[in-house]
Each structure stands twice: as C-alpha cells, then as structure tokens.
C-alpha cells in the first residue's frame, strides 16, 4: 500500500476540549490513527494552550503556555513533530512559534517564565506543529486512503468547514500558500481532498473559513447564533447533508447554535455536523460507536444508515 | 486642524421641523445641513500611547487607514457601525470623546482575525480591538463586558490548574454574569447531548467536575505566571494610572421639550 515515511509517529496534543465536550473527536482521531497504523504519543502532563481567552489577558502568557507544551514534546520526549486536532491549539502553537522567532520580548518572557517554572525553555525551530489534517494528508495521503476504503462515503454530500484559526492570520502559517500541494489560507482544501478520497462528494461551499463567532459563543450568543445560522444555511443551500468539521470549538459552536437558532429564532435546519475523523473512520470500516457518533449532539445516525455506513 | 469624518451628522445634531415654511416653500422634515456648529477641544494626545501600552495595542502606530480591516470584518458585515479602521483613526487622532461613543460596540470583536490577515501594515487590528476594549474598561467608561468576564473565568482556571474543565467554565461564567441555566435552548442542548452518551462517559463528566483536570506539579508555573501578571499590572498602573471603577450613569434628568 502506498504510504510516506512522514508523521508515522508524532507527539499528540489533544487539548482540554478533546477531554471534555469534544470527546468524540478524541476518540475518532485515536481510532483512525490506530486503523491507519499511525502512532500517537500523547504529550506528558500537558497544559492548556489558553485557547482564545488567555491572549486577551496578555498574549505573552499564551505564548508561554504553548511553549511549555512544545518544550515537553521536544526536550523531554524527543519529538520533532507535534500534532494538534484542535484549531485553537494548533493556532496557538503556531503563533508561539512565530512570536518566538520574530519577537524578542516574547522570547524574553518565555525564557523567564520557563526558568521560574523549572523546565527547559522551548526554542523556535525545535518542533514542527501540524494539524490532524496535515497528519493524515502527509502520512497516508489520498492514494493511501483510497486503497484502504472499506465503506465508501459515496453519495454523501459534504460541506467542509475549516473556521478561522486554521488559516488566519496567514503569517503564522509560513508553509501554507506555497503553490501546488500546499494548503491555501483562502481556499483550504486538505479536508476536501481527504473526504473525496474516501468517496464523498464535496459541495461548492463558499463559507469554508467564515467565522462562527466562537469567541463569543456564550458572551454574545445572539451574534454567534446569527453567524452560525448563516454558515449552516449556506451549507444547506449548497446541497450539503453534512458539515464536516476539524475543530472541537467550531464543531460544538455549530451544534449548539443550530439548536439555539431553532429554539430562539424558530429557524430549523437539518444538516448534520460530523468530525472529519469520524467520517474517515467510518470509511475505513470502523463502526459508528468506535468513532463516537453517538456522542455528537447533532444526531446523524439516520443519515449514516441511509448511506450504508453503519 | 485635522479633517473629521462623519461624526457631526448624527440624529442629535440634525434639525427637525414638523412645520416649517420658508418663503412659501414647505421645508418640514430633517435637515442634516442645519447641524449645530461644534468646536472640538478635547483631544487626548496620549490616547495612542495609552492603547499601545496595553497588551495587543503595540503596533497601532503603523496604520495607514487603508480600510482592509473593516472591509474584511465579520462583525462589520452584520453591523456597519462596527468599524475598526475608524476607531484606529480616532485613537491616532486622540479623539477620545468620539471613541467613547462606541464603547458598547468595540468588545464585540469575535477575534476571527480576518482583519489581521488582510492588514498590509501588520497592525494586528484584532489585538488593537481587545486593547481598546480593555482601555475603555480600565478608564471606567464601561463595565466589564461579558467577553472580558469569560476571558477572566477561563484564564483563572488555566493559571490555577494548568487545564480547564469546560463545564466548570460555563457554570462560573453564567454565575458571574447572572444568567440562568434554565434557558430553553440550553436545556434542549443538554438533553440531546445526554441522549447519546454512554453511562460511563456521563460518570466521567460528572467526576471531572469533582476531580478537576489539572497539570501535575503546576505550582511553579502558576507562580511564575502570577508574578508576571503582577509586574505587568504595575507597569500599566504607571503608564495609564490605576483602573477607574465603572459607575453606572445617573438616570438622565427629564428633558425639557425643545420649543
Ligand atoms: S485551544 Fe481549547 S482545547 Fe486547545 S488546549 Fe486550548 S482550551 Fe484546550
Ligand atoms: S470558526 Fe468559530 S470556533 Fe472555529 S475558529 Fe472561528 S471562531 Fe473559533
Ligand atoms: S487594515 Fe491595517 S493599515 Fe489598513 S486600516 Fe486596518 S489597521 Fe490600518
Ligand atoms: S478580528 Fe474582530 S475586528 Fe478583526 S475582522 Fe474579526 S471581528 Fe472584525
């Protein structure tokens, strides 16, 4: 079977959301990795990266939090790649990497805090941060997936939703927008590529990188509901039956405000919200239970039965 | 004298006449050209430096007013009064009183970073919005926004234990902002969430609220972060003066009807 040598064994940074509300994403990521023969080595005693919140207190604390995670993975565990399935974690680690190589002050703060906290200081360039999408894309690739498909996703119409933090701001993702083969920050396609390889039909969805208002999902719920409803209705208008997600925050934001839109605004929508790792897992022949379909709030089991994926 | 944009034409400056006939012509209605004259004398020349002293505001001086931030902005698309370029302009001009008019809008930035990606000058407008929102709170112009309360609840947990437990963050947030947990949509969501979950997972979630997730040996990191926050606070006090607590405005005196 075709495969590359890349990313066979990587450090795994699940983040808090995957241990809480997004348990299904954690479960399906691990199950998929196992099925594909990829090894995930969880970062020892990790800490939260600070999500979207700590940076609002002070961005340098966020840089420190992310640097500690990278320091453990690189210095204590000897990894040179860390994979984060959460857009927030992925973004923050990338941002820390950028700041530590471009901003002297951030570097000083991280050095000082690391020394006080009693661990080795992370230095820019020690580790490469990748998203779960990069992981599957580079370790297995489309050809590799095609060869392994047991239950094709054929006939399933999918809108791929990437959210904000996977592509913005573009300067923290120097490897993107590098021409053919690389990811695009304006028209991302890695998830589209993978799901298509598993047989799905990707619809032409214009809001791939629209914002769901996740930062204010509770503090300004009406705005979030408006933004989510716009995304969901656009997906339905594009003919999608499923919105595929690659981030726990985007995923739970869509699920939560889909319900809120129904209850508060009386706008009911039917599109199902499913993690891309769950969809790929199903295509590889894993059972819905194995990939945690029942843990999603958005109930997709009927649709999956209809498509012969159960 | 700098040129000010748009800030003189607004409802309270417009003359309205229900019944005005001039030289036999009925000119009743709204006349924005009859606006009251106004002298601006309240520039705060420190304003840009004050914003720049707050975390995230560092690069505001680079802005060349191209408008790409506003043009790409998520919130501007649903509320045209949300205008990052304009606020940056006001700050750079020192036009404090004008900025304060929008005090209840600025915190609504959702950090989508469309502006930061679009900005040709690396201003990081997203972070400038946060700095400005904090400045308004610090100066006592607004009470803490629900967004700031959320950030605090969240950050306190991270700093305290190294990890968060999402259920606890939500509960503390609702608590501190005085919101009810019995809103129908929330109940519906929890119902649908519980439906599919295995018992073992529910117990795990229940236990997480009792045995809170934490990073081992986090103490030294916590102390280091707290020391850093204290140092930064002291620096800010020096530059901006101590925080002014927000006082709700007195109820407006009953207006004497015009004419
Ligand atoms: S972004 Fe979210 S999931 Fe990732 S560590 Fe931070 S809080 Fe936890
Ligand atoms: S789409 Fe929503 S949850 Fe996802 S990164 Fe953007 S704001 Fe956050
Ligand atoms: S995009 Fe940047 S330079 Fe242009 S107006 Fe906004 S902040 Fe200023
Ligand atoms: S980060 Fe804030 S200001 Fe910038 S585009 Fe998004 S909502 Fe607008």
């Amino acid at each position: 079977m075709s495969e590359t040598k890349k990313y066979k064994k990587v450090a795994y940074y699940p983040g808090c959301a995957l241990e809480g509300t997004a348990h299904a994403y954690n479960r399906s990521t691990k199950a998929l990795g196992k099925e594909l023969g990829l090894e995930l080595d969880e970062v020892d005693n990790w800490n939260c990266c600070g999500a979207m919140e700590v940076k609002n207190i002070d961005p340098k604390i966020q840089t420190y939090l992310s640097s500690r995670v990278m320091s453990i993975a690189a210095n204590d565990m000897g990894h040179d790649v860390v994979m984060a399935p959460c857009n927030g974690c992925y973004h923050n680690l990338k941002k820390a990497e950028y700041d530590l190589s471009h901003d002297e002050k951030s570097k000083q703060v991280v050095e000082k805090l690391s020394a006080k906290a009693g661990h080795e200081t992370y230095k820019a360039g020690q580790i490469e941060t990748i998203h779960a999408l990069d992981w599957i894309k580079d370790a297995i690739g489309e050809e590799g997936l095609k060869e392994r498909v047991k239950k094709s996703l054929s006939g399933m119409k999918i809108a791929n939703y990437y959210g904000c933090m996977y592509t913005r701001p573009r300067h923290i993702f120097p490897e993107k927008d590098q021409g053919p083969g690389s990811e695009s920050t304006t028209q991302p396609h890695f998830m589209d590529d993978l799901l298509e390889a598993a047989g799905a039909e990707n619809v032409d969805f214009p809001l791939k990188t629209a914002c769901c208002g996740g930062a204010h999902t509770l503090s300004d719920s009406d705005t979030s509901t408006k933004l989510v409803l716009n995304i969901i209705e656009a997906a339905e208008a594009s003919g999608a039956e499923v919105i595929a997600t690659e981030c726990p925050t985007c995923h739970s934001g869509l699920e939560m405000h889909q319900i809120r839109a129904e209850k508060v605004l009386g706008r009911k929508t039917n599109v199902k919200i499913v993690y891309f790792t769950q969809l790929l897992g199903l295509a590889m022949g894993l059972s819905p239970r194995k990939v945690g379909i029942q843990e999603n709030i958005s109930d997709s089991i009927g649709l999956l039965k209809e498509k012969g994926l159960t | 004298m700098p040129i000010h944009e748009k800030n003189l034409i607004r409802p309270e400056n417009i003359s309205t006449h229900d019944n005005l006939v001039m030289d036999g012509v009925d000119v009743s209605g709204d006349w924005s050209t009859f606006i009251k004259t106004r002298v601006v004398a309240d520039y705060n020349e420190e304003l840009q430096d004050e914003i720049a002293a707050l975390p995230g505001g560092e690069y505001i001086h680079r802005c060349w007013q191209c408008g790409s931030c506003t043009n790409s902005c998520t919130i501007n698309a649903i509320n045209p009064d949300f205008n990052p370029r304009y606020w940056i302009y006001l700050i750079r001009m020192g036009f404090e009183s004008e900025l304060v008019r929008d005090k209840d809008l600025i915190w609504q930035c959702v950090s989508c970073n469309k502006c930061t990606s679009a900005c040709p000058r690396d201003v990081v407008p997203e972070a400038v919005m946060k700095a400005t929102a904090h400045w308004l709170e610090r100066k006592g112009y607004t009470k803490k926004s629900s967004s700031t309360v959320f950030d605090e609840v969240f950050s306190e947990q991270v700093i305290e234990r190294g990890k968060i437990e999402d259920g606890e963050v939500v509960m503390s947030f609702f608590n501190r902002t005085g919101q009810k947990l019995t809103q129908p949509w929330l109940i519906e969501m929890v119902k649908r969430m519980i439906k599919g979950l295995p018992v073992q997972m529910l117990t795990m979630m229940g236990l997480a609220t009792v045995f809170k997730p934490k990073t081992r040996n986090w103490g030294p990191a916590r102390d280091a972060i707290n020391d850093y926050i204290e140092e930064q606070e002291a620096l800010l006090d020096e530059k901006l003066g101590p925080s002014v607590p927000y006082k709700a405005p007195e109820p407006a005196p009953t207006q004497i009807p015009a004419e």
Side-chain angles (χ1 to χ4, degrees), chain A residues 16-17 19-24 27 44-61 64-65 68 91 98 103 109 112-114 116-119 164-165 167-171 209-211 213-221 223-224 226-227 252 255-257 259-260 262-264 268 289 294-297 299, chain B residues 55-56 58-59 74-75 78 107-118 122 124 126-127 130 134 146-148 150-152 154-155 158-159 162-167 169-170 173-174 179 183-186 188-190 192-193 195-198 200-201 204-205 213-218 220-225 227-229 231-232:
Chain A
C16 328
E19 290 203 332
T21 38
H23 189 257
R27 178 190 291 253
D44 284 336
N45 197 28
W46 51 265
N47 56 274
C48 169
C49 69
M52 311 275 282
E53 282 73 20
V54 174
K55 75 163 175 40
N56 298 336
I57 306 293
D58 189 321
K60 295 193 178 62
I61 302 178
Y64 165 68
L65 291 171
R68 180 182 178 278
H91 172 105
Y98 180 86
D103 179 41
V109 171
K112 196 167 143 193
L113 292 184
S114 304
K116 276 195 185 173
H119 57 81
C164 316
M165 314 257 279
T167 55
R168 283 191 299 269
R170 54 156 44 109
H171 63 260
T209 65
C211 172
H216 287 164
T217 194
L218 292 171
S219 42
D220 188 3
S221 305
T223 299
S224 289
K226 238 186 255 171
L227 294 171
S252 58
E255 283 188 325
M256 182 165 146
H257 289 281
I259 295 175
R260 197 168 180 275
E262 183 185 328
K263 293 283 149 189
V264 178
K268 187 168 157 49
R289 196 151 275 280
Q294 74 287 356
E295 292 173 20
N296 293 347
I297 298 176
D299 184 0
Chain B
E58 293 87 335
Y59 305 122
T74 298
I75 298 300
I78 52 177
W107 70 269
Q108 290 174 10
C109 160
V110 284
S111 294
C112 68
N113 269 318
K114 290 195 174 171
C115 51
T116 307
S117 254
D122 243 344
V124 197
E126 181 269 339
K130 290 291 164 197
H134 287 154
S146 50
S147 169
T148 302
F150 193 83
D151 293 341
E152 287 180 355
F154 191 102
S155 302
V158 178
I159 296 168
K163 287 186 184 177
I164 58 141
E165 198 275 299
D166 22 29
V169 171
V170 173
F173 172 73
F174 275 73
Q179 295 183 61
Q183 305 174 47
W185 70 272
L186 256 180
E188 181 64 28
M189 193 183 77
V190 173
R192 290 194 205 176
M193 186 165 90
K195 201 182 70 189
L197 288 181
Q200 158 212 8
M201 170 90 187
M204 207 187 80
M205 284 167 68
K214 55 176 173 236
T215 307
R216 294 184 312 277
N217 307 321
W218 182 248
R222 170 180 52 222
D223 296 345
I225 296 171
D227 289 351
Y228 171 77
I229 292 178
E231 279 163 30
Q232 294 304 308

Side-chain angles (χ1 to χ4, degrees), chain A residues 14-30:
Chain A
C16 328
L18 272 74
E19 290 203 332
T21 38
H23 189 257
Y25 194 23
N26 200 3
R27 178 190 291 253
S28 54
T29 302
K30 287 182 176 168

Side-chain angles (χ1 to χ4, degrees), chain A residues 98-234:
Chain A
Y98 180 86
D99 285 351
L100 289 174
S101 45
H102 290 86
D103 179 41
E104 198 46 42
K105 266 209 189 126
S106 298
K107 225 172 111 184
Q108 286 165 5
V109 171
V110 164
E111 269 165 22
K112 196 167 143 193
L113 292 184
S114 304
K116 276 195 185 173
H119 57 81
E120 241 178 279
T121 304
Y122 174 77
K123 286 178 208 66
Q126 278 192 293
I127 209 165
E128 179 193 11
T129 299
I130 61 168
H131 188 272
L133 287 172
D134 302 308
W135 174 57
I136 302 293
K137 175 103 176 168
D138 285 337
I140 304 295
E142 289 96 306
E143 288 312 311
L145 278 178
K146 275 186 201 153
E147 291 164 9
R148 291 171 170 84
V149 170
K150 295 210 179 91
K151 286 183 175 167
S152 165
L153 302 180
S154 73
M156 185 180 271
K157 295 196 178 73
I158 299 182
N160 290 274
Y161 180 59
Y162 299 80
C164 316
M165 314 257 279
Y166 175 69
T167 55
R168 283 191 299 269
R170 54 156 44 109
H171 63 260
I172 66 172
F173 306 109
E175 70 286 1
K176 291 184 179 161
D177 296 329
Q178 297 302 315
S182 72
E183 183 58 303
S184 155
T185 61
T186 50
Q187 292 286 327
H189 52 81
F190 277 15
M191 187 159 49
D192 295 65
D193 299 346
L194 298 177
L195 292 172
E196 191 183 294
E201 183 189 326
N202 296 313
V203 302
D204 194 359
F205 177 49
L207 298 185
K208 285 179 173 183
T209 65
C211 172
C212 76
H216 287 164
T217 194
L218 292 171
S219 42
D220 188 3
S221 305
D222 289 343
T223 299
S224 289
T225 303
K226 238 186 255 171
L227 294 171
V228 167
L229 188 61
N230 191 32
I231 292 164
I232 292 182
E233 290 186 339

